[in-house]
Amino acid sequence: MIEQFDVLTVIGQASLAGLFPRGIGQYAIGGVLIGLGVSIIYLGTAITPGASTFFESTLSYVSTIPRFNRAKYLATRDWRLVFTLSMVAGAAVYALLFGQGGWTTDVQPWRLLGGGVLVGVGTRIGKGCTSGHGINGLASLSRTSFANVATFMAVAIGAALSMQAIGVTP
Amino acid sequence: MSASDTRHPLFVPLIAVGGSLFGFGLAYSGMARPEIVLDFLQLEDLGLLFVMGGAAAVTGTVITLAMRHLDRAPLTGDPYGKRERSFDRSVLLGGAVFGVGWGISGLCPGSAYASLGIGNYPILLGIAGMFLGAYAQGYWRAYRQETDRTVTPSD
């Protein structure tokens, strides 16, 4: 029995290390902090803040297209600007405290730009992103959000594995 | 707009506090680093499940308790509710397009803002791309609506 237990423990630890090579602490703590940030806003205002409506609401400052100037964007564009800038600021505090003062990516520029364009299009067609659907939507047990999240997860894993398969690094 | 005139004085400060915590959490969790997101999507480090799971669990608990036990939000007077979006084909289509973009770049909107905060200036390209995409989508929709209207005025 004891030997069997040891074998299971070793297998368990090996697969755990394989699936979570950086551990899970930073991820779980980060997730809880994100949830607290969203929850504070929700408790005070009943708003479930998403990160991607910022694009349309901010475009209303510079575009005359009626689509970007709908009442819901005009009424929220100032606080969405504050929300986004404070996210930048919060991350900067992290970098100053724990991040050795900052960090940049090696992911190729065309991936950032091209991926960014598709993210911009996709979140607007799909009515939300990893914040709106992935956090607020899942937290609301919204079937629409579960469908959206399942779709983008599956497709993103396929896309990332494809990039890796054709040898694009980083 | 009178919305900002009638708004509670603590409204914007609260948004700033919540947003800062959100951005700090994104950076702490590694979501602000496209490399870590790509590691997750390439199934080499599944830790990001705990980020979304943890955030959704905390938020879900708060939403449930607020709806059950609290009346209205103090700073807006609005009733507590869920985030609901109507389901249609565009939810899946949009999710798929977003998924391709996320898989290529390792970037989503929130993580991109946080990435800028940790000094990752190349991410500005990604954010510019997102604005470009959102603008193109809005422009196309506006154009299509216009054309539809001339074809079927009853719409």
Side-chain angles (χ1 to χ4, degrees), chain A residues 18-49 51-56 58-59 63 65 67-68 71 74-76 78-79 82-84 86-95 97-98 101-107 109-145 147-149 151-153 155-161 163-164 168 170, chain B residues 1 3-4 7 11-12 14-36 38-52 54-64 66-67 70 72-88 90-111 113-123 125-139 141-142 145:
Chain A
L19 296 176
F20 304 101
R22 297 183 183 94
I24 59 170
Q26 57 165 337
Y27 298 116
I29 292 169
V32 167
L33 292 173
I34 291 168
L36 287 177
V38 173
S39 296
I40 285 174
I41 292 174
Y42 179 79
L43 281 174
T45 66
I47 292 169
T48 52
S52 59
T53 308
F54 173 68
F55 303 131
E56 281 147 322
T58 303
L59 283 167
S63 170
I65 295 177
R67 189 170 175 79
F68 297 130
L74 295 179
T76 62
D78 56 343
W79 73 251
V82 171
F83 180 56
T84 299
S86 64
M87 280 168 76
V88 176
V93 170
Y94 168 83
L97 290 181
F98 304 105
W103 175 90
T104 61
T105 185
D106 292 325
V107 173
W110 72 267
R111 295 181 73 172
L112 300 176
L113 182 63
V117 169
L118 292 173
V119 166
V121 172
T123 61
R124 298 304 75 216
I125 295 177
K127 311 174 190 180
C129 60
T130 27
S131 312
H133 281 305
I135 299 173
N136 289 303
L138 295 187
S140 299
L141 302 179
S142 157
R143 286 184 193 176
T144 300
S145 292
N148 184 269
V149 172
T151 306
F152 76 61
M153 276 289 181
V155 173
I157 288 170
L161 288 175
M163 300 287 290
Q164 192 182 36
V168 180
Chain B
M1 287 296 288
S4 50
R7 201 170 266 161
F11 180 88
V12 170
L14 184 85
I15 295 283
V17 171
S20 304
L21 203 50
F22 195 158
F24 186 93
L26 280 168
Y28 195 98
S29 70
M31 280 285 285
R33 304 178 60 164
E35 278 88 346
I36 292 185
L38 290 171
D39 277 353
F40 167 69
L41 295 175
Q42 290 163 0
L43 308 178
E44 287 161 5
D45 179 352
L46 301 188
L48 246 57
L49 287 175
F50 284 86
V51 180
M52 262 175 88
V58 170
T59 307
T61 305
V62 168
I63 289 179
T64 305
M67 286 179 65
L70 299 176
R72 283 165 183 275
L75 302 189
T76 57
D78 293 335
Y80 292 108
K82 294 183 172 185
R83 182 190 193 275
E84 288 292 1
R85 295 286 183 276
S86 57
F87 181 81
D88 50 44
S90 64
V91 171
L92 301 181
L93 175 66
V97 174
F98 170 57
V100 175
W102 199 34
I104 288 177
S105 63
L107 286 181
C108 60
S111 75
Y113 312 151
S115 203
L116 191 59
I118 61 173
N120 186 15
Y121 61 88
I123 227 70
L125 263 179
I127 296 176
M130 291 178 199
F131 269 106
L132 221 60
Y135 183 79
Q137 194 268 345
Y139 189 87
R141 280 288 294 269
Q145 217 164 24

